Amino acid sequence: MSSLDQFRHLLVPVDFSEEDEPLLRLVLGLVERPRVTLLHVVEAIEAEADDDLDEFYGMLHANAERKIDELGARFRTAGFEVVEEVRVGRRAGEIIRFSAAVECDLIVMRSRGVDLARPEEAFRALAHQVMALCPCPVLVLK
């Protein structure tokens, strides 16, 4: 049994980029089949609400639902129990709140890495924010 097999509910935030692929392969390769929740957060901007903005977010949400369903199909085919969720908001806050609400026991996410010329910028990275503030363990792939 690998050390990841002890976890029963994994939360996997995705942004649909090609950089998600190693992360998805890692989870798909687990011998034990934990419950997997795929989460995509459509990043919200701070602005006054208006109909055009609501329509724009509606289109982004619909597109994200289509893409996350395609990812979910890969997990279902491999025998996983999968939940797919799309939210609109600030990415770090949504991931943290959602992880607590669904009581996942591990978040598996990726980081784009650190620019060694500006290491202080790592503290603004999504993965760092989630690691620092989330109540459950976080596995970050570089």
Side-chain angles (χ1 to χ4, degrees):
M1 170 149 87
S2 77
S3 58
L4 284 181
D5 290 332
Q6 68 183 317
F7 297 104
R8 304 306 326 145
H9 184 187
L10 306 183
L11 175 62
V12 183
V14 294
D15 67 4
F16 310 126
S17 70
E18 289 181 11
E19 294 168 341
D20 281 342
E21 193 57 35
L23 174 75
L24 298 172
R25 281 197 312 268
L26 171 81
V27 176
L28 282 164
L30 294 175
V31 173
E32 297 294 319
R33 297 295 193 229
R35 178 178 182 200
V36 172
T37 299
L38 299 171
L39 173 66
H40 177 74
V41 179
V42 175
E43 183 74 20
I45 58 171
E46 293 184 26
E48 293 293 321
D50 73 32
D51 292 338
D52 290 337
L53 196 54
D54 291 343
E55 184 179 331
F56 175 69
Y57 282 125
M59 289 187 312
L60 291 176
H61 194 280
N63 188 44
E65 284 181 333
R66 181 184 53 75
K67 289 179 179 181
I68 207 164
D69 187 53
E70 292 171 6
L71 289 181
R74 291 176 63 185
F75 284 87
R76 285 188 291 280
T77 299
F80 286 83
E81 175 187 347
V82 181
V83 175
E84 301 154 3
E85 184 73 24
V86 176
R87 298 277 175 109
V88 176
R90 304 302 293 203
R91 291 181 300 161
E94 288 297 323
I95 291 169
I96 293 162
R97 279 188 292 279
F98 186 79
S99 69
V102 300
E103 298 178 341
C104 69
D105 50 13
L106 178 68
I107 297 174
V108 182
M109 62 189 303
R110 64 180 173 75
S111 172
R112 296 190 191 283
V114 176
D115 178 358
L116 295 178
R118 299 187 320 224
E120 66 281 356
E121 298 215 356
F123 297 108
R124 289 193 287 246
L126 177 63
H128 183 81
Q129 293 173 26
V130 172
M131 285 188 309
L133 299 172
C134 206
C136 71
V138 180
L139 173 65
V140 177
L141 272 67
K142 291 184 179 183

